[in-house]
Amino acid sequence: MPSTKIILTAETVPHVALDFMNNTHFEELDMVQSLGELITHYQQGDNDALTQALNAWLKHTQAHFSRENELMIDIQFPMYLVHSGEHSRVLEEMESMVTSWNNDHDIEMLSDYVFTAWPQWFEQHVNSMDMVTAQFALMHGYTQDLK
Ligand SMILES: [Fe+2]
Ligand SMILES: [Fe+2]
């Protein structure tokens, strides 16, 4: 187990100016929390539940990122390439982590990612790029009721 175990929740994660983005983040944190419980109670050879939870998380992340990418295009966000590039990078990282899990079932590797690397990235990403994107959208007349 890694020494730094970070559990983000709806209360502790930074909130941005658009509700639909926050709701997606909260959903994702719920999924990661369930994933964390499966990792903590993992018994060698018992891989199915974890594999399913990982695939569901990956799918949710894909939808999360493409929805934000669409928003950035809608509002002509000037740092679109930086923010969407970060989404692509992290999605690739998650995909290779899931592939590696499917091949090796290395619980330590998975545990490091889910309890340390990912939450560090997520908190920092929400607090910077998501925050600025949501603020920009509001300042440029984006109405969340219409979406
Ligand atoms: Fe986000
Ligand atoms: Fe984002």
Side-chain angles (χ1 to χ4, degrees):
M1 280 290 167
S3 50
T4 334
K5 189 168 165 177
I6 305 166
I7 314 250
L8 293 173
T9 65
E11 285 74 39
T12 59
V13 77
H15 291 192
V16 304
L18 294 180
D19 288 340
F20 88 82
M21 287 174 73
N22 288 322
N23 291 336
T24 303
H25 296 160
F26 301 160
E27 275 169 21
E28 191 146 334
L29 292 177
D30 277 349
M31 295 181 101
V32 172
Q33 197 180 7
S34 311
L35 188 57
E37 278 162 28
L38 289 171
I39 291 172
T40 304
H41 301 111
Y42 176 72
Q43 308 270 334
Q44 192 144 25
D46 189 12
N47 303 318
D48 289 357
L50 254 178
T51 302
Q52 274 177 23
L54 279 173
N55 286 333
W57 183 31
L58 194 56
K59 235 175 149 181
H60 189 274
T61 299
Q62 281 160 346
H64 166 191
F65 290 172
S66 46
R67 182 67 191 86
E68 285 184 13
N69 291 348
E70 276 169 31
L71 168 70
M72 289 190 274
I73 291 168
D74 270 8
I75 62 172
Q76 298 182 299
F77 184 59
M79 285 172 68
Y80 172 79
L81 287 178
V82 179
H83 189 170
S84 67
E86 185 65 359
H87 287 162
S88 306
R89 184 188 67 76
V90 168
L91 204 51
E92 267 177 40
E93 188 180 273
M94 280 178 79
E95 280 163 358
S96 70
M97 196 271 308
V98 171
T99 304
S100 149
W101 165 257
N102 288 334
N103 292 335
D104 308 328
H105 298 115
D106 178 347
I107 195 73
E108 290 300 322
M109 181 279 301
L110 189 59
S111 179
D112 273 348
Y113 190 74
V114 171
F115 286 123
T116 309
W118 184 84
Q120 271 171 357
W121 172 79
F122 191 76
E123 183 168 39
Q124 186 271 336
H125 181 85
V126 172
N127 210 14
S128 53
M129 293 188 197
D130 284 0
M131 191 76 82
V132 173
T133 301
Q135 196 58 41
F136 183 93
L138 272 195
M139 284 169 52
H140 290 79
Y142 177 84
T143 317
Q144 45 187 338
D145 303 339
L146 300 175
K147 297 280 163 174

